[in-house]
Structures are given as structure tokens and as C-alpha cells.
Amino acid sequence: MAGYDAIVVGAGSVGVPITYFLSREGLKVLCVDGGPSPGQGQNKAAIGGVRATHSDPAKILLCKESLRIFSAWKDKTGTDIGWKMGGYCFPAFREQEEQTLRSLLPIQKKHKLSIDFLSPKEIEKDVPGIQKKGLRGGTLSPEDGQVSPLLAIESFTNEAKRLGAEFRFGEPVTSLLMEGNAVAGIKTAKGEFKAPITVNAAGAAATAVCRMAGIDIPVRPDSHEAGITAPVKQFLRPLVVDIRPGPEGKTSNFYFGQVHGGQFIFCYTPRQLFYGEDRRSTSEFMPTIARRMAELMPRLRGLTVRRVWRGLYPMTPDGVAVVGKPSKVQGFYVAIGMCGQGFMLGPGVGANVANHIIKGKPLIDSDVFALLSPDRDFTAAKTEKLK
Ligand SMILES: Cc1cc2nc3c(=O)[nH]c(=O)nc-3n(C[C@H](O)[C@H](O)[C@H](O)COP(=O)(O)OP(=O)(O)OC[C@H]3O[C@@H](n4cnc5c(N)ncnc54)[C@H](O)[C@@H]3O)c2cc1C
């Protein structure tokens, strides 16, 4: 039986950065995943948007840290992970969206985020070809950006290995080794592995891994579809998010951007969420999103779509990630329930969880970190209220 300082369950958007940051601090780390290679869960489903311009303080601080890490990655490691600092643009066509966007500015500015509400002319400059009719302006946050989830996870894995981390793939964790109320390691079909710390970063399957430790934290996946086109010459810097509900009655918002390689990547949020783990593409996705994109930006009409896919958001009842040490179990951390933002949260969560494990406190303000506590109340009443 091999001994490690820490074991991470899940080599995804969050588990791999945690493995990297723990290894960087000199810990002997094992990262185990049921998939054949890193990122085969929901990491590869993400479209790679990374922004700090949220309204929730924990997301703001963690994503600020992620942006710092992603944007400096190439200089630090020599590996290009597709970082493109093009910002996020939320255009407004109706008074209600303008008000919503403006109402978020005070908290975003309080955290010193670069974001402003711009005039229609300025938005047209940043989003060339956007529908002018009814455009009231919109927010632009130029320091947000995009990263390739596929390139990033490969590079984080390689760097973690270089620092001594071990990875085991094709080996789902089937149970946790319990010693009283302490987790002492993991069990897979191939053996038992011991460590004083085990981190649950199992994404959409996180509830099952929590139950192995005797605790119940609700992470319920719902599915979202996305697609990517063939590349065209770069002409769009920001990722564009239209928060209007679609006239067709199926979409609540949609977003798209041009990635570092020139491809357009796109996604929408269905008005009626699809709960469960079904990842088969639907026939309505492409016609629905194509209509919305062409209506917002007619010049996108000629793009060639290369592929579409469907992945899962690991959702929590209150829409907030669950990160920290559950008080009922010893030797166990969770970094789960990332909802639709696990890729952008990954490095920030990884750095904070590693600091918490090693130094007993997060890097960000402890009171803000505590908002993510696994000990918080997840009752049904709250779920309904916050949905
Ligand atoms: C269409 C779409 C677009 C998205 N776009 C974005 C975006 O632009 N930006 C963003 O930040 N987020 C985005 N997301 C969300 C993002 O993909 C997820 O929030 C994120 O990947 C979750 O990270 P995770 O590490 O928790 O889970 P994952 O990346 O899924 O990793 C969990 C890993 O745990 C493994 N695992 C599970 N159970 C076990 C077990 N018992 N034993 C061993 N291994 C196990 C899985 O195999 C998996 O590899 C998008 C999601 C979708 C579907």
C-alpha cells in the first residue's frame, strides 16, 4: 500500500489544479480518475470563458486569482494554453437588462474590477457587426478572457507530474478508507492508497464520493449544449453574452466568442433545465442557437459548424460552489458543485485549497471563503427559493 501526503479524487477542471498546487508546495500527491485521461469529465465541455466580473464576492476573488494564473501561465511554463484577453461584453437592448447590468457595477468596482457600461457606439466598436437596432449599450470588462480547457488541463497535468505528482486513470474510486470518522485514503479496483488528506473533486459525481465519507452534499447535474465552428480571421475580441430570454421560448440567455485559434464557440442556457446525466446532443440546439446568433450578429451567418456537444453543470441548490473542510469528517476536503463556472474557478480554487490544507487558511479573505462552506444549510426550502 503506497503512502501519499494527499489524494485528489477527480482529474478535472478543479482536481488537476489542486494536484498541481499541492505538489508545488512539496507534497507527495496522487490524483485518481475513472476516465482514461485528464479532463474527460466536464472540463472538455467548457467553452473556456474566464471572468472575475461576477456579483458573488467568493467567485470574484477566486476568479481574480484564476485570471492571474491563466494569464501568466505561458510566461511561467512556456506552454500556450490559448489565453486571449478579450474581455466579456454583455450588450443591453431593453431597459430591464440595462438596469440589471448597471446594478452589478458597484460590487464589481468595489473589488477593483475593470468594467464599465459603454455607449452603443463603443459596443459596436468592440463587437463589430452587432445588431444596432435597439442597442442601448452594454458592459465591457476588458481584463477577462478565454483559455482552451483542453490545452490548460494537459499543461497543468504535465506541470504537476514534473513536480512529482502521480496520476492513475481508468480507476474510479469505489470507496473511502474510513478510520472512525476520519478518511484515511481511497480504494479502487486496483488497490488501496493511503493519505492523511483526501480531496473530493469529483465534479458531477461528487455527491456519491461525499456519501462514501458519510456526508450528504447535494450536487445535481443539469446539461448544457455547446458547439464550435471552423476558424475564420480574428475579428471579435470579447466573449459576448446576451442575457435576454429568447423569443422562441427555449433559451434564457446565450453566449459566444472567438477563441485564440479563430473558431467561434457558442452555448445557450435552456429555459427549462435538463436535469440528469444525459449527454446526447439534441436536434433543437443548433437551429435555436444559430437563429439567435444570426439575429444578434448577422455577419456570423456564413460560419461552418464543426461539432456540437453536451455536458453537465455540477449544480448546487443555491448555485454556489462548495469548497472547504466538512466539520463532521477528518482528513477530508471538498471542492465541488462548481455549477457553470468550474473551469474559471479551477486554478483559484486549487491555489486556495492547497493553502488551506498546508497553512490552515485560504489565500482569499477567510470570511469570504467561508461563504462556500460545506457545512452550510442545503435544505429543500432554500433550494426552491434560490432556483
Ligand atoms: C456546455 C458547457 C459550457 C461550459 N462553459 C464554461 C466556461 O466557459 N467557463 C467555465 O468556467 N465553466 C464552464 N462550464 C462548466 C465547467 O465545465 C464545469 O463547471 C467544470 O468542468 C467542473 O469542474 P470539476 O472539476 O468539478 O468537474 P470535472 O471537470 O467533470 O472533473 C471531475 C472528474 O472527477 C472524475 N470522477 C468522478 N467520480 C469519480 C470517482 N468515483 N473516482 C475517480 N474519479 C471520479 C470524473 O471522471 C472527472 O474527470 C461549461 C460546462 C458546459 C457543459
PDB file of all heavy atoms in Angstrom, residues 55-62 107 110-111 316 318-324 336-337 356 362 364-378 382 386:
ATOM      1  N   SER A  55     -21.069  38.769  -9.376  1.00  0.00           N
ATOM      2  CA  SER A  55     -21.623  39.609  -8.320  1.00  0.00           C
ATOM      3  C   SER A  55     -21.358  38.992  -6.949  1.00  0.00           C
ATOM      4  O   SER A  55     -21.468  39.656  -5.927  1.00  0.00           O
ATOM      5  CB  SER A  55     -23.130  39.793  -8.532  1.00  0.00           C
ATOM      6  OG  SER A  55     -23.739  38.538  -8.694  1.00  0.00           O
ATOM      7  N   ASP A  56     -20.984  37.704  -6.932  1.00  0.00           N
ATOM      8  CA  ASP A  56     -20.739  36.995  -5.686  1.00  0.00           C
ATOM      9  C   ASP A  56     -19.268  37.197  -5.278  1.00  0.00           C
ATOM     10  O   ASP A  56     -18.361  36.935  -6.077  1.00  0.00           O
ATOM     11  CB  ASP A  56     -21.048  35.507  -5.938  1.00  0.00           C
ATOM     12  CG  ASP A  56     -20.627  34.638  -4.803  1.00  0.00           C
ATOM     13  OD1 ASP A  56     -21.397  34.527  -3.852  1.00  0.00           O
ATOM     14  OD2 ASP A  56     -19.504  34.081  -4.855  1.00  0.00           O
ATOM     15  N   PRO A  57     -19.002  37.684  -4.047  1.00  0.00           N
ATOM     16  CA  PRO A  57     -17.615  38.020  -3.680  1.00  0.00           C
ATOM     17  C   PRO A  57     -16.639  36.838  -3.742  1.00  0.00           C
ATOM     18  O   PRO A  57     -15.486  37.012  -4.136  1.00  0.00           O
ATOM     19  CB  PRO A  57     -17.732  38.550  -2.245  1.00  0.00           C
ATOM     20  CG  PRO A  57     -19.117  38.294  -1.793  1.00  0.00           C
ATOM     21  CD  PRO A  57     -19.966  38.030  -2.989  1.00  0.00           C
ATOM     22  N   ALA A  58     -17.103  35.635  -3.387  1.00  0.00           N
ATOM     23  CA  ALA A  58     -16.185  34.484  -3.420  1.00  0.00           C
ATOM     24  C   ALA A  58     -15.776  34.173  -4.862  1.00  0.00           C
ATOM     25  O   ALA A  58     -14.594  33.939  -5.156  1.00  0.00           O
ATOM     26  CB  ALA A  58     -16.846  33.263  -2.776  1.00  0.00           C
ATOM     27  N   LYS A  59     -16.757  34.216  -5.769  1.00  0.00           N
ATOM     28  CA  LYS A  59     -16.437  33.964  -7.184  1.00  0.00           C
ATOM     29  C   LYS A  59     -15.517  35.048  -7.717  1.00  0.00           C
ATOM     30  O   LYS A  59     -14.584  34.768  -8.475  1.00  0.00           O
ATOM     31  CB  LYS A  59     -17.726  33.960  -8.011  1.00  0.00           C
ATOM     32  CG  LYS A  59     -18.467  32.649  -8.014  1.00  0.00           C
ATOM     33  CD  LYS A  59     -19.562  32.712  -9.066  1.00  0.00           C
ATOM     34  CE  LYS A  59     -20.678  31.760  -8.732  1.00  0.00           C
ATOM     35  NZ  LYS A  59     -21.859  31.963  -9.566  1.00  0.00           N
ATOM     36  N   ILE A  60     -15.760  36.296  -7.308  1.00  0.00           N
ATOM     37  CA  ILE A  60     -14.911  37.397  -7.788  1.00  0.00           C
ATOM     38  C   ILE A  60     -13.458  37.148  -7.367  1.00  0.00           C
ATOM     39  O   ILE A  60     -12.536  37.164  -8.184  1.00  0.00           O
ATOM     40  CB  ILE A  60     -15.398  38.760  -7.241  1.00  0.00           C
ATOM     41  CG1 ILE A  60     -16.752  39.123  -7.867  1.00  0.00           C
ATOM     42  CG2 ILE A  60     -14.367  39.859  -7.505  1.00  0.00           C
ATOM     43  CD1 ILE A  60     -17.376  40.405  -7.314  1.00  0.00           C
ATOM     44  N   LEU A  61     -13.254  36.870  -6.085  1.00  0.00           N
ATOM     45  CA  LEU A  61     -11.869  36.734  -5.587  1.00  0.00           C
ATOM     46  C   LEU A  61     -11.181  35.494  -6.158  1.00  0.00           C
ATOM     47  O   LEU A  61     -10.009  35.536  -6.531  1.00  0.00           O
ATOM     48  CB  LEU A  61     -11.857  36.691  -4.057  1.00  0.00           C
ATOM     49  CG  LEU A  61     -12.334  37.971  -3.355  1.00  0.00           C
ATOM     50  CD1 LEU A  61     -12.147  37.861  -1.847  1.00  0.00           C
ATOM     51  CD2 LEU A  61     -11.599  39.210  -3.866  1.00  0.00           C
ATOM     52  N   LEU A  62     -11.917  34.377  -6.240  1.00  0.00           N
ATOM     53  CA  LEU A  62     -11.296  33.148  -6.764  1.00  0.00           C
ATOM     54  C   LEU A  62     -10.983  33.297  -8.256  1.00  0.00           C
ATOM     55  O   LEU A  62      -9.923  32.862  -8.727  1.00  0.00           O
ATOM     56  CB  LEU A  62     -12.215  31.942  -6.525  1.00  0.00           C
ATOM     57  CG  LEU A  62     -12.367  31.535  -5.051  1.00  0.00           C
ATOM     58  CD1 LEU A  62     -13.459  30.479  -4.894  1.00  0.00           C
ATOM     59  CD2 LEU A  62     -11.048  31.001  -4.478  1.00  0.00           C
ATOM     60  N   ILE A 107     -20.668  46.522  -6.898  1.00  0.00           N
ATOM     61  CA  ILE A 107     -19.898  45.446  -6.228  1.00  0.00           C
ATOM     62  C   ILE A 107     -18.661  45.096  -7.053  1.00  0.00           C
ATOM     63  O   ILE A 107     -17.580  44.845  -6.515  1.00  0.00           O
ATOM     64  CB  ILE A 107     -20.764  44.200  -5.926  1.00  0.00           C
ATOM     65  CG1 ILE A 107     -19.924  43.049  -5.372  1.00  0.00           C
ATOM     66  CG2 ILE A 107     -21.482  43.635  -7.109  1.00  0.00           C
ATOM     67  CD1 ILE A 107     -20.219  42.697  -3.981  1.00  0.00           C
ATOM     68  N   LYS A 110     -16.187  47.780  -6.494  1.00  0.00           N
ATOM     69  CA  LYS A 110     -15.661  47.698  -5.125  1.00  0.00           C
ATOM     70  C   LYS A 110     -14.471  46.732  -5.069  1.00  0.00           C
ATOM     71  O   LYS A 110     -13.517  46.924  -4.320  1.00  0.00           O
ATOM     72  CB  LYS A 110     -16.786  47.216  -4.195  1.00  0.00           C
ATOM     73  CG  LYS A 110     -16.427  47.230  -2.743  1.00  0.00           C
ATOM     74  CD  LYS A 110     -17.568  46.770  -1.873  1.00  0.00           C
ATOM     75  CE  LYS A 110     -16.991  46.055  -0.672  1.00  0.00           C
ATOM     76  NZ  LYS A 110     -17.848  45.088  -0.089  1.00  0.00           N
ATOM     77  N   HIS A 111     -14.551  45.690  -5.916  1.00  0.00           N
ATOM     78  CA  HIS A 111     -13.450  44.720  -5.962  1.00  0.00           C
ATOM     79  C   HIS A 111     -12.407  45.087  -7.022  1.00  0.00           C
ATOM     80  O   HIS A 111     -11.626  44.247  -7.445  1.00  0.00           O
ATOM     81  CB  HIS A 111     -14.007  43.320  -6.203  1.00  0.00           C
ATOM     82  CG  HIS A 111     -14.687  42.755  -4.999  1.00  0.00           C
ATOM     83  ND1 HIS A 111     -13.999  42.194  -3.950  1.00  0.00           N
ATOM     84  CD2 HIS A 111     -15.989  42.691  -4.658  1.00  0.00           C
ATOM     85  CE1 HIS A 111     -14.849  41.798  -3.018  1.00  0.00           C
ATOM     86  NE2 HIS A 111     -16.065  42.087  -3.418  1.00  0.00           N
ATOM     87  N   THR A 316     -25.426  23.161  -7.430  1.00  0.00           N
ATOM     88  CA  THR A 316     -25.790  23.071  -6.011  1.00  0.00           C
ATOM     89  C   THR A 316     -27.135  23.777  -5.840  1.00  0.00           C
ATOM     90  O   THR A 316     -27.526  24.579  -6.695  1.00  0.00           O
ATOM     91  CB  THR A 316     -24.734  23.777  -5.134  1.00  0.00           C
ATOM     92  OG1 THR A 316     -24.612  25.129  -5.572  1.00  0.00           O
ATOM     93  CG2 THR A 316     -23.397  23.074  -5.225  1.00  0.00           C
ATOM     94  N   ASP A 318     -28.065  26.245  -4.049  1.00  0.00           N
ATOM     95  CA  ASP A 318     -28.025  27.715  -4.018  1.00  0.00           C
ATOM     96  C   ASP A 318     -27.162  28.313  -5.122  1.00  0.00           C
ATOM     97  O   ASP A 318     -26.909  29.522  -5.143  1.00  0.00           O
ATOM     98  CB  ASP A 318     -27.555  28.212  -2.637  1.00  0.00           C
ATOM     99  CG  ASP A 318     -26.241  27.582  -2.191  1.00  0.00           C
ATOM    100  OD1 ASP A 318     -25.574  26.948  -3.029  1.00  0.00           O
ATOM    101  OD2 ASP A 318     -25.880  27.724  -1.010  1.00  0.00           O
ATOM    102  N   GLY A 319     -26.683  27.472  -6.030  1.00  0.00           N
ATOM    103  CA  GLY A 319     -25.898  27.993  -7.155  1.00  0.00           C
ATOM    104  C   GLY A 319     -24.498  28.452  -6.773  1.00  0.00           C
ATOM    105  O   GLY A 319     -23.830  29.136  -7.539  1.00  0.00           O
ATOM    106  N   VAL A 320     -24.046  28.070  -5.578  1.00  0.00           N
ATOM    107  CA  VAL A 320     -22.715  28.479  -5.106  1.00  0.00           C
ATOM    108  C   VAL A 320     -21.861  27.221  -4.916  1.00  0.00           C
ATOM    109  O   VAL A 320     -22.353  26.201  -4.422  1.00  0.00           O
ATOM    110  CB  VAL A 320     -22.838  29.246  -3.761  1.00  0.00           C
ATOM    111  CG1 VAL A 320     -21.482  29.631  -3.210  1.00  0.00           C
ATOM    112  CG2 VAL A 320     -23.709  30.481  -3.941  1.00  0.00           C
ATOM    113  N   ALA A 321     -20.601  27.291  -5.294  1.00  0.00           N
ATOM    114  CA  ALA A 321     -19.697  26.142  -5.153  1.00  0.00           C
ATOM    115  C   ALA A 321     -19.531  25.741  -3.681  1.00  0.00           C
ATOM    116  O   ALA A 321     -19.822  26.538  -2.778  1.00  0.00           O
ATOM    117  CB  ALA A 321     -18.339  26.493  -5.751  1.00  0.00           C
ATOM    118  N   VAL A 322     -19.080  24.527  -3.459  1.00  0.00           N
ATOM    119  CA  VAL A 322     -18.890  24.017  -2.094  1.00  0.00           C
ATOM    120  C   VAL A 322     -17.402  23.676  -1.934  1.00  0.00           C
ATOM    121  O   VAL A 322     -16.912  22.714  -2.536  1.00  0.00           O
ATOM    122  CB  VAL A 322     -19.756  22.763  -1.849  1.00  0.00           C
ATOM    123  CG1 VAL A 322     -19.695  22.355  -0.386  1.00  0.00           C
ATOM    124  CG2 VAL A 322     -21.190  22.986  -2.298  1.00  0.00           C
ATOM    125  N   VAL A 323     -16.708  24.477  -1.150  1.00  0.00           N
ATOM    126  CA  VAL A 323     -15.255  24.302  -1.034  1.00  0.00           C
ATOM    127  C   VAL A 323     -14.849  24.426   0.430  1.00  0.00           C
ATOM    128  O   VAL A 323     -15.216  25.393   1.102  1.00  0.00           O
ATOM    129  CB  VAL A 323     -14.495  25.379  -1.866  1.00  0.00           C
ATOM    130  CG1 VAL A 323     -12.988  25.112  -1.826  1.00  0.00           C
ATOM    131  CG2 VAL A 323     -14.978  25.407  -3.308  1.00  0.00           C
ATOM    132  N   GLY A 324     -14.102  23.469   0.906  1.00  0.00           N
ATOM    133  CA  GLY A 324     -13.604  23.551   2.282  1.00  0.00           C
ATOM    134  C   GLY A 324     -13.591  22.186   2.946  1.00  0.00           C
ATOM    135  O   GLY A 324     -13.667  21.146   2.291  1.00  0.00           O
ATOM    136  N   ILE A 336     -16.243  21.114  -4.857  1.00  0.00           N
ATOM    137  CA  ILE A 336     -17.294  20.532  -5.705  1.00  0.00           C
ATOM    138  C   ILE A 336     -18.408  21.561  -5.979  1.00  0.00           C
ATOM    139  O   ILE A 336     -18.380  22.668  -5.452  1.00  0.00           O
ATOM    140  CB  ILE A 336     -17.889  19.265  -5.030  1.00  0.00           C
ATOM    141  CG1 ILE A 336     -18.516  19.618  -3.676  1.00  0.00           C
ATOM    142  CG2 ILE A 336     -16.818  18.200  -4.859  1.00  0.00           C
ATOM    143  CD1 ILE A 336     -19.173  18.440  -2.955  1.00  0.00           C
ATOM    144  N   GLY A 337     -19.381  21.138  -6.803  1.00  0.00           N
ATOM    145  CA  GLY A 337     -20.550  21.991  -7.051  1.00  0.00           C
ATOM    146  C   GLY A 337     -20.189  23.291  -7.755  1.00  0.00           C
ATOM    147  O   GLY A 337     -20.689  24.359  -7.415  1.00  0.00           O
ATOM    148  N   HIS A 356      -5.069  26.158   2.174  1.00  0.00           N
ATOM    149  CA  HIS A 356      -5.868  25.781   3.338  1.00  0.00           C
ATOM    150  C   HIS A 356      -5.339  24.480   3.946  1.00  0.00           C
ATOM    151  O   HIS A 356      -5.208  24.349   5.171  1.00  0.00           O
ATOM    152  CB  HIS A 356      -7.332  25.618   2.923  1.00  0.00           C
ATOM    153  CG  HIS A 356      -8.292  25.774   4.051  1.00  0.00           C
ATOM    154  ND1 HIS A 356      -8.453  24.805   5.007  1.00  0.00           N
ATOM    155  CD2 HIS A 356      -9.124  26.786   4.386  1.00  0.00           C
ATOM    156  CE1 HIS A 356      -9.349  25.219   5.887  1.00  0.00           C
ATOM    157  NE2 HIS A 356      -9.775  26.412   5.540  1.00  0.00           N
ATOM    158  N   PRO A 362      -7.240  29.949   3.783  1.00  0.00           N
ATOM    159  CA  PRO A 362      -7.213  30.198   2.329  1.00  0.00           C
ATOM    160  C   PRO A 362      -6.355  31.411   2.000  1.00  0.00           C
ATOM    161  O   PRO A 362      -5.936  32.140   2.903  1.00  0.00           O
ATOM    162  CB  PRO A 362      -8.691  30.489   2.013  1.00  0.00           C
ATOM    163  CG  PRO A 362      -9.230  31.068   3.279  1.00  0.00           C
ATOM    164  CD  PRO A 362      -8.497  30.382   4.404  1.00  0.00           C
ATOM    165  N   ILE A 364      -7.592  33.830  -0.026  1.00  0.00           N
ATOM    166  CA  ILE A 364      -8.529  34.958  -0.024  1.00  0.00           C
ATOM    167  C   ILE A 364      -9.044  35.183   1.400  1.00  0.00           C
ATOM    168  O   ILE A 364      -8.803  34.352   2.294  1.00  0.00           O
ATOM    169  CB  ILE A 364      -9.702  34.736  -1.013  1.00  0.00           C
ATOM    170  CG1 ILE A 364     -10.598  33.555  -0.577  1.00  0.00           C
ATOM    171  CG2 ILE A 364      -9.212  34.541  -2.435  1.00  0.00           C
ATOM    172  CD1 ILE A 364     -11.910  33.442  -1.355  1.00  0.00           C
ATOM    173  N   ASP A 365      -9.758  36.248   1.601  1.00  0.00           N
ATOM    174  CA  ASP A 365     -10.332  36.578   2.908  1.00  0.00           C
ATOM    175  C   ASP A 365     -11.121  35.377   3.470  1.00  0.00           C
ATOM    176  O   ASP A 365     -11.983  34.807   2.779  1.00  0.00           O
ATOM    177  CB  ASP A 365     -11.266  37.773   2.681  1.00  0.00           C
ATOM    178  CG  ASP A 365     -11.877  38.252   3.963  1.00  0.00           C
ATOM    179  OD1 ASP A 365     -12.865  37.629   4.433  1.00  0.00           O
ATOM    180  OD2 ASP A 365     -11.374  39.234   4.500  1.00  0.00           O
ATOM    181  N   SER A 366     -10.814  34.994   4.718  1.00  0.00           N
ATOM    182  CA  SER A 366     -11.425  33.785   5.298  1.00  0.00           C
ATOM    183  C   SER A 366     -12.945  33.893   5.384  1.00  0.00           C
ATOM    184  O   SER A 366     -13.654  32.901   5.205  1.00  0.00           O
ATOM    185  CB  SER A 366     -10.877  33.526   6.698  1.00  0.00           C
ATOM    186  OG  SER A 366      -9.515  33.259   6.609  1.00  0.00           O
ATOM    187  N   ASP A 367     -13.453  35.095   5.655  1.00  0.00           N
ATOM    188  CA  ASP A 367     -14.916  35.253   5.756  1.00  0.00           C
ATOM    189  C   ASP A 367     -15.577  35.032   4.404  1.00  0.00           C
ATOM    190  O   ASP A 367     -16.679  34.474   4.322  1.00  0.00           O
ATOM    191  CB  ASP A 367     -15.275  36.649   6.274  1.00  0.00           C
ATOM    192  CG  ASP A 367     -14.892  36.802   7.737  1.00  0.00           C
ATOM    193  OD1 ASP A 367     -14.713  35.764   8.409  1.00  0.00           O
ATOM    194  OD2 ASP A 367     -14.745  37.951   8.190  1.00  0.00           O
ATOM    195  N   VAL A 368     -14.921  35.476   3.357  1.00  0.00           N
ATOM    196  CA  VAL A 368     -15.478  35.269   2.006  1.00  0.00           C
ATOM    197  C   VAL A 368     -15.387  33.781   1.648  1.00  0.00           C
ATOM    198  O   VAL A 368     -16.340  33.194   1.131  1.00  0.00           O
ATOM    199  CB  VAL A 368     -14.739  36.147   0.965  1.00  0.00           C
ATOM    200  CG1 VAL A 368     -15.249  35.855  -0.440  1.00  0.00           C
ATOM    201  CG2 VAL A 368     -14.911  37.619   1.303  1.00  0.00           C
ATOM    202  N   PHE A 369     -14.260  33.156   1.956  1.00  0.00           N
ATOM    203  CA  PHE A 369     -14.081  31.722   1.676  1.00  0.00           C
ATOM    204  C   PHE A 369     -15.150  30.911   2.412  1.00  0.00           C
ATOM    205  O   PHE A 369     -15.664  29.914   1.897  1.00  0.00           O
ATOM    206  CB  PHE A 369     -12.676  31.295   2.123  1.00  0.00           C
ATOM    207  CG  PHE A 369     -12.261  29.927   1.646  1.00  0.00           C
ATOM    208  CD1 PHE A 369     -11.903  29.714   0.316  1.00  0.00           C
ATOM    209  CD2 PHE A 369     -12.213  28.849   2.524  1.00  0.00           C
ATOM    210  CE1 PHE A 369     -11.499  28.456  -0.134  1.00  0.00           C
ATOM    211  CE2 PHE A 369     -11.809  27.592   2.096  1.00  0.00           C
ATOM    212  CZ  PHE A 369     -11.456  27.393   0.758  1.00  0.00           C
ATOM    213  N   ALA A 370     -15.502  31.368   3.614  1.00  0.00           N
ATOM    214  CA  ALA A 370     -16.490  30.637   4.426  1.00  0.00           C
ATOM    215  C   ALA A 370     -17.872  30.609   3.767  1.00  0.00           C
ATOM    216  O   ALA A 370     -18.713  29.767   4.094  1.00  0.00           O
ATOM    217  CB  ALA A 370     -16.581  31.258   5.815  1.00  0.00           C
ATOM    218  N   LEU A 371     -18.132  31.524   2.811  1.00  0.00           N
ATOM    219  CA  LEU A 371     -19.423  31.508   2.101  1.00  0.00           C
ATOM    220  C   LEU A 371     -19.591  30.224   1.290  1.00  0.00           C
ATOM    221  O   LEU A 371     -20.692  29.857   0.904  1.00  0.00           O
ATOM    222  CB  LEU A 371     -19.535  32.724   1.159  1.00  0.00           C
ATOM    223  CG  LEU A 371     -19.481  34.104   1.819  1.00  0.00           C
ATOM    224  CD1 LEU A 371     -19.383  35.200   0.759  1.00  0.00           C
ATOM    225  CD2 LEU A 371     -20.721  34.307   2.692  1.00  0.00           C
ATOM    226  N   LEU A 372     -18.472  29.548   1.020  1.00  0.00           N
ATOM    227  CA  LEU A 372     -18.507  28.312   0.225  1.00  0.00           C
ATOM    228  C   LEU A 372     -18.596  27.071   1.120  1.00  0.00           C
ATOM    229  O   LEU A 372     -18.534  25.944   0.636  1.00  0.00           O
ATOM    230  CB  LEU A 372     -17.230  28.214  -0.630  1.00  0.00           C
ATOM    231  CG  LEU A 372     -16.888  29.440  -1.489  1.00  0.00           C
ATOM    232  CD1 LEU A 372     -15.517  29.271  -2.137  1.00  0.00           C
ATOM    233  CD2 LEU A 372     -17.939  29.640  -2.561  1.00  0.00           C
ATOM    234  N   SER A 373     -18.746  27.271   2.412  1.00  0.00           N
ATOM    235  CA  SER A 373     -18.609  26.178   3.383  1.00  0.00           C
ATOM    236  C   SER A 373     -19.485  24.955   3.111  1.00  0.00           C
ATOM    237  O   SER A 373     -20.684  25.083   2.848  1.00  0.00           O
ATOM    238  CB  SER A 373     -18.950  26.720   4.780  1.00  0.00           C
ATOM    239  OG  SER A 373     -19.058  25.638   5.676  1.00  0.00           O
ATOM    240  N   PRO A 374     -18.886  23.764   3.200  1.00  0.00           N
ATOM    241  CA  PRO A 374     -19.680  22.528   3.056  1.00  0.00           C
ATOM    242  C   PRO A 374     -20.643  22.325   4.219  1.00  0.00           C
ATOM    243  O   PRO A 374     -21.544  21.485   4.126  1.00  0.00           O
ATOM    244  CB  PRO A 374     -18.615  21.421   3.025  1.00  0.00           C
ATOM    245  CG  PRO A 374     -17.369  22.026   3.546  1.00  0.00           C
ATOM    246  CD  PRO A 374     -17.452  23.504   3.358  1.00  0.00           C
ATOM    247  N   ASP A 375     -20.476  23.059   5.299  1.00  0.00           N
ATOM    248  CA  ASP A 375     -21.367  22.913   6.465  1.00  0.00           C
ATOM    249  C   ASP A 375     -22.633  23.760   6.337  1.00  0.00           C
ATOM    250  O   ASP A 375     -23.478  23.743   7.229  1.00  0.00           O
ATOM    251  CB  ASP A 375     -20.635  23.328   7.752  1.00  0.00           C
ATOM    252  CG  ASP A 375     -19.550  22.339   8.124  1.00  0.00           C
ATOM    253  OD1 ASP A 375     -19.613  21.186   7.650  1.00  0.00           O
ATOM    254  OD2 ASP A 375     -18.631  22.720   8.868  1.00  0.00           O
ATOM    255  N   ARG A 376     -22.759  24.527   5.254  1.00  0.00           N
ATOM    256  CA  ARG A 376     -23.927  25.419   5.173  1.00  0.00           C
ATOM    257  C   ARG A 376     -25.221  24.615   4.932  1.00  0.00           C
ATOM    258  O   ARG A 376     -25.172  23.438   4.589  1.00  0.00           O
ATOM    259  CB  ARG A 376     -23.723  26.503   4.110  1.00  0.00           C
ATOM    260  CG  ARG A 376     -23.718  26.023   2.674  1.00  0.00           C
ATOM    261  CD  ARG A 376     -23.465  27.203   1.734  1.00  0.00           C
ATOM    262  NE  ARG A 376     -23.663  26.869   0.332  1.00  0.00           N
ATOM    263  CZ  ARG A 376     -22.692  26.531  -0.504  1.00  0.00           C
ATOM    264  NH1 ARG A 376     -21.443  26.442  -0.069  1.00  0.00           N
ATOM    265  NH2 ARG A 376     -22.958  26.275  -1.768  1.00  0.00           N
ATOM    266  N   ASP A 377     -26.336  25.320   5.078  1.00  0.00           N
ATOM    267  CA  ASP A 377     -27.645  24.680   5.018  1.00  0.00           C
ATOM    268  C   ASP A 377     -28.098  24.503   3.557  1.00  0.00           C
ATOM    269  O   ASP A 377     -28.203  25.474   2.807  1.00  0.00           O
ATOM    270  CB  ASP A 377     -28.612  25.606   5.774  1.00  0.00           C
ATOM    271  CG  ASP A 377     -30.001  25.046   5.848  1.00  0.00           C
ATOM    272  OD1 ASP A 377     -30.190  23.863   5.511  1.00  0.00           O
ATOM    273  OD2 ASP A 377     -30.909  25.806   6.244  1.00  0.00           O
ATOM    274  N   PHE A 378     -28.351  23.247   3.171  1.00  0.00           N
ATOM    275  CA  PHE A 378     -28.806  22.993   1.796  1.00  0.00           C
ATOM    276  C   PHE A 378     -30.258  22.485   1.769  1.00  0.00           C
ATOM    277  O   PHE A 378     -30.585  21.588   1.010  1.00  0.00           O
ATOM    278  CB  PHE A 378     -27.928  21.910   1.134  1.00  0.00           C
ATOM    279  CG  PHE A 378     -26.488  22.304   0.922  1.00  0.00           C
ATOM    280  CD1 PHE A 378     -25.496  21.801   1.752  1.00  0.00           C
ATOM    281  CD2 PHE A 378     -26.126  23.149  -0.102  1.00  0.00           C
ATOM    282  CE1 PHE A 378     -24.158  22.140   1.562  1.00  0.00           C
ATOM    283  CE2 PHE A 378     -24.790  23.497  -0.303  1.00  0.00           C
ATOM    284  CZ  PHE A 378     -23.812  22.989   0.525  1.00  0.00           C
ATOM    285  N   LYS A 382     -34.757  26.208   0.894  1.00  0.00           N
ATOM    286  CA  LYS A 382     -33.790  27.146   0.356  1.00  0.00           C
ATOM    287  C   LYS A 382     -33.607  26.904  -1.147  1.00  0.00           C
ATOM    288  O   LYS A 382     -33.521  27.819  -1.942  1.00  0.00           O
ATOM    289  CB  LYS A 382     -32.453  26.924   1.058  1.00  0.00           C
ATOM    290  CG  LYS A 382     -31.785  28.227   1.369  1.00  0.00           C
ATOM    291  CD  LYS A 382     -30.602  27.999   2.259  1.00  0.00           C
ATOM    292  CE  LYS A 382     -29.965  29.331   2.531  1.00  0.00           C
ATOM    293  NZ  LYS A 382     -28.855  29.214   3.409  1.00  0.00           N
ATOM    294  N   LEU A 386     -34.119  29.735  -4.123  1.00  0.00           N
ATOM    295  CA  LEU A 386     -32.993  30.286  -4.870  1.00  0.00           C
ATOM    296  C   LEU A 386     -32.909  29.827  -6.313  1.00  0.00           C
ATOM    297  O   LEU A 386     -32.058  30.272  -7.045  1.00  0.00           O
ATOM    298  CB  LEU A 386     -31.694  29.929  -4.129  1.00  0.00           C
ATOM    299  CG  LEU A 386     -31.529  30.659  -2.815  1.00  0.00           C
ATOM    300  CD1 LEU A 386     -30.463  30.019  -1.965  1.00  0.00           C
ATOM    301  CD2 LEU A 386     -31.213  32.120  -3.032  1.00  0.00           C
TER     302      LEU A 386
END
